[in-house]
């Protein structure tokens, strides 16, 4: 792989210092575990002269207080199922399913939520991409996945986002205008080349879990069971009353440029989870996911496996209720 | 490593490496894999995919397995770094190395240093791991020669010895 283009690393001690550092260094990138960013930089995707290391901010490394998780908390810390997360098993399962132990020791909550989108034409060395005149996402004119279109179809492949969306979590964004709290879904846009709605100098400071979460679970399909990004990942939060579905949130990853909450789930309320219900859920998923030829696995497989996983996870939750 | 004219200045990074205090002077963007192999000439840590996919460059930082290809040398400041070279004592292989040797847990050998370090970290944390625990601990270490069976047997043998 290519050597890293030189950069300096700043280690702010507070959120305010990080915001000031970003304002002072145009084009600087925020760094946490580096498991995504450093690989892309070695591929020649971007060459920021300054990286701002968010792990040096003690506040961002904290689990708690209350139900807050700092952006620089590692995936290993979440996967270790600390008592604070006992009511959020889908989040723990999602963190445990990311890559291998060494990645989870470095990778963070914020890094996984802000993961760059992925595509077989994008996650390549510079020499490889130069042979295809690069691509729409970086330096090129054409999306090789959909050459007649004008949009990048690279897929979001983070595992934590669907779990947190299913829990209806909020996020804290830090930036020049201070801290603001918004639903996590407001972070994402359906554009593989610009999927994060973060303004200049803004970064994700953490998430806030809701109180009294519904029972939820996460499952993903991947090429290598031991370590891999999701071809499709599904988190389901499901509340039942007297055997019928009383609340349902389904969130997906790996199929679109952003992780998203399935729309129209209210039509699935009021009935028990049976085969017919699973079919209806599956059809809803198949309608809303839009996997493209961004992985070596076929797009139609990812569409069908997303639907199957949604039904399976929902059925497991209904059975356990 | 090729230096650009506008390269940021190098600075001393102090950490404990294989039981010795070391100081290396490298820039912020220096990666641990390059510092170990090129600057310190410790070539036991293997450069495989060089992109965080294969686990061949697994080293221990504060007893936790980390990928040297995705770790900046600057991150190691004040910490305890261990590589495959640090396991043997007075020329005698440690229990994990010996078990890999005796159980034929190695073929071409390229993944072995990373495998051994990941296994060593597991056995420090869980002295008698189950097979699923071993598989989970080695999930990030790719071997293209073996079927992993003898690697797992080697870790089990090392655990039995411990």
């Amino acid at each position: 792989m290519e050597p890293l283009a030189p950069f300096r690393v700043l280690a702010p001690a507070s959120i305010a210092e990080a915001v000031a550092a970003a304002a002072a260094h145009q084009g600087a990138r925020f760094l946490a575990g580096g498991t995504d960013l450093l690989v892309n930089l070695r591929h020649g995707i971007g060459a920021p002269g300054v990286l701002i290391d968010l792990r040096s901010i003690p506040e961002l490394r904290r689990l708690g207080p209350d139900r807050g998780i700092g952006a620089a908390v590692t995936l290993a810390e979440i996967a270790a199922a600390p008592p604070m997360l006992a009511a959020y098993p889908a989040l723990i399962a999602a963190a445990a399913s990311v890559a291998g132990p060494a990645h989870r020791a470095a990778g963070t909550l914020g890094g996984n939520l802000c993961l760059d989108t992925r595509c077989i034409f994008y996650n390549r060395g510079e020499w490889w991409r130069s042979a295809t005149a690069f691509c729409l996402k970086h330096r090129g004119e054409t999306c090789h996945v959909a050459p007649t279109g004008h949009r990048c179809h690279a897929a979001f492949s983070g595992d934590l986002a669907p779990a947190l969306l299913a829990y209806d979590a909020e996020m804290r964004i830090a930036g020049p205008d201070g801290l603001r709290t918004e639903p996590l879904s407001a972070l994402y846009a359906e554009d593989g080349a610009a999927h994060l709605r973060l303004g200049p100098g803004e970064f994700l400071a953490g998430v806030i879990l809701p109180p009294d979460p519904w029972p939820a679970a996460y499952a993903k399909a991947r090429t290598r069971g031991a370590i891999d990004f999701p071809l499709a990942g599904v988190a389901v939060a499901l509340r039942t009353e007297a055997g019928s579905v009383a609340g349902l949130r389904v969130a997906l990853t790996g199929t679109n440029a952003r992780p998203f909450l399935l729309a129209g789930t209210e039509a699935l309320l009021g009935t028990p989870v049976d085969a017919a219900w699973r079919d209806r859920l599956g059809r809803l998923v198949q309608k809303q996911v839009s996997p493209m030829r961004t992985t070596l696995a076929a797009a139609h497989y990812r569409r069908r496996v997303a639907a199957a996983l949604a039904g399976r996870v929902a059925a497991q939750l209904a059975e356990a209720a | 490593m090729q230096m650009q004219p506008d390269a940021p200045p190098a600075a001393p990074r102090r950490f404990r490496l294989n039981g010795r205090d070391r100081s290396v002077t490298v820039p912020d963007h220096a990666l641990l894999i390059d510092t170990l192999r090129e600057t310190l000439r410790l070539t036991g840590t293997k450069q495989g995919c060089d992109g965080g996919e294969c686990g061949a460059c697994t080293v221990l930082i504060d007893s936790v397995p980390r990928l040297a290809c995705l770790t900046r040398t600057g991150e190691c400041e004040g910490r305890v770094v261990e590589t495959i070279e640090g396991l043997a004592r007075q020329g005698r292989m440690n229990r994990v190395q010996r078990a890999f040797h005796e159980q034929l847990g190695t073929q071409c050998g390229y993944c072995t240093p990373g495998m051994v370090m990941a296994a060593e970290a597991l056995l420090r944390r869980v002295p008698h791991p189950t097979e699923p625990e071993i598989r989970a601990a080695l999930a990030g270490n790719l071997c293209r020669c073996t079927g992993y069976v003898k690697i797992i047997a080697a870790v089990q043998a090392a655990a039995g010895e411990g």
Side-chain angles (χ1 to χ4, degrees):
Chain A
M1 205 180 269
E2 294 94 330
L4 269 172
F7 53 72
R8 275 197 305 137
V9 177
L10 305 181
S14 66
I15 289 176
E17 276 186 37
V19 170
H25 299 279
Q26 292 294 313
R29 294 284 307 269
F30 292 105
L31 167 74
T35 54
D36 191 39
L37 180 61
L38 292 183
V39 178
N40 281 349
L41 294 183
R42 291 196 81 175
H43 279 151
I45 295 165
V50 172
L51 299 185
I52 302 168
D53 190 351
L54 299 177
R55 286 170 302 179
S56 59
I57 304 172
E59 186 183 342
L60 300 192
R61 300 194 70 148
R62 269 210 305 265
L63 267 165
D66 301 323
R67 294 175 311 278
I69 311 177
V73 168
T74 65
L75 299 173
E77 289 173 89
I78 295 170
M84 181 198 134
L85 299 179
Y88 307 89
L91 178 61
I92 294 167
S97 78
V98 178
H103 304 89
R104 293 193 293 272
T108 62
L109 168 77
N112 196 259
L113 290 177
C114 297
L115 203 68
D116 197 2
T117 52
R118 299 183 63 80
C119 176
I120 46 173
F121 293 99
Y122 177 65
N123 301 103
R124 302 281 189 176
E126 190 160 346
W127 57 270
W128 194 100
R129 286 178 297 119
S130 71
T132 52
F134 299 96
C135 76
L136 195 58
K137 185 164 160 63
H138 188 256
R139 284 180 68 178
E141 308 274 306
T142 308
C143 170
H144 303 298
V145 168
T148 54
H150 300 284
R151 185 167 84 67
C152 166
H153 293 280
F156 180 81
S157 305
D159 289 294
L160 267 53
L164 289 167
L165 288 171
Y167 280 129
D168 201 19
E170 294 181 310
M171 62 172 170
R172 288 170 74 222
I173 301 285
D177 302 325
L179 274 169
R180 62 189 158 87
T181 303
E182 280 189 65
L184 178 62
S185 55
L187 180 61
Y188 300 108
E190 185 63 41
D191 179 348
H195 69 298
L196 295 177
R197 293 182 198 269
L198 289 169
E202 286 189 333
F203 62 90
L204 182 78
V207 299
I208 303 163
L209 296 166
D212 308 317
W214 297 350
Y218 176 70
K220 73 196 256 194
R222 46 185 162 178
T223 303
R224 286 173 63 202
I227 149 181
D228 226 331
F229 291 99
L231 294 169
V234 186
V236 179
L238 184 143
R239 188 169 66 82
T240 56
E241 269 170 27
S244 286
V245 179
L248 176 67
R249 279 193 296 267
V250 179
L252 295 121
T253 188
T255 59
N256 289 51
R258 59 171 180 152
F260 69 99
L261 274 167
L262 196 67
T265 50
E266 44 308 322
L268 292 159
L269 302 183
T271 52
V273 173
D274 54 18
W277 188 94
R278 284 175 64 166
D279 280 349
R280 283 161 62 207
L281 173 61
R283 279 198 298 275
L284 203 57
V285 170
Q286 291 218 28
K287 224 173 186 173
Q288 291 180 39
V289 293
S290 51
M292 301 286 283
R293 203 167 41 91
T294 57
T295 60
L296 292 176
H300 68 85
Y301 169 77
R302 285 155 65 206
R303 182 185 297 277
R304 293 179 63 176
V305 84
L309 284 176
R312 191 183 303 166
V313 175
Q316 282 163 359
L317 288 167
E319 203 164 302
Chain B
M1 192 185 300
Q2 212 177 347
M3 288 304 238
Q4 310 285 326
D6 59 345
R13 327 276 169 175
R14 296 177 193 84
F15 50 91
R16 203 160 170 81
L17 176 63
N18 296 335
R20 282 176 59 196
D21 288 323
R22 301 294 294 256
S23 176
V24 288
T25 300
V26 293
D28 282 355
H29 65 276
L31 291 168
L32 184 58
I33 180 97
D34 297 319
T35 299
L36 290 172
R37 291 180 55 90
E38 307 295 330
T39 309
L40 297 168
R41 299 286 169 193
L42 292 173
T43 53
T45 300
K46 296 300 175 224
Q47 201 155 18
C49 71
D50 221 9
E53 293 179 33
C54 76
C57 67
T58 303
V59 298
L60 305 189
I61 301 181
D62 294 338
S63 281
V64 175
R66 295 286 296 269
L67 300 172
C69 74
L70 295 184
T71 304
R72 292 182 308 100
T73 308
E75 288 176 56
C76 301
E77 184 83 45
R79 304 176 77 173
V80 177
V81 180
E82 292 169 86
T83 69
I84 190 74
E85 289 92 343
L87 292 185
R89 289 280 172 275
Q90 281 140 11
R92 284 175 52 83
M93 291 189 283
N94 93 337
R95 58 180 174 155
V96 181
Q97 293 171 304
R98 200 161 52 239
F100 269 71
H101 176 65
E102 287 170 0
Q103 302 291 323
L104 306 178
T106 180
Q107 283 185 26
C108 88
Y110 205 81
C111 73
T112 308
M115 287 280 182
V116 168
M117 296 314 283
E120 172 68 22
L122 171 68
L123 295 182
R124 287 184 197 175
R125 194 166 49 80
V126 185
H128 299 286
T130 62
E131 189 184 321
E133 284 173 326
I134 297 171
R135 286 182 178 273
L138 300 181
N141 295 80
L142 200 60
C143 170
R144 298 289 75 180
C145 301
T146 76
Y148 297 97
V149 172
K150 292 186 175 183
I151 291 173
I152 288 160
V155 181
Q156 287 169 326
E161 238 185 275

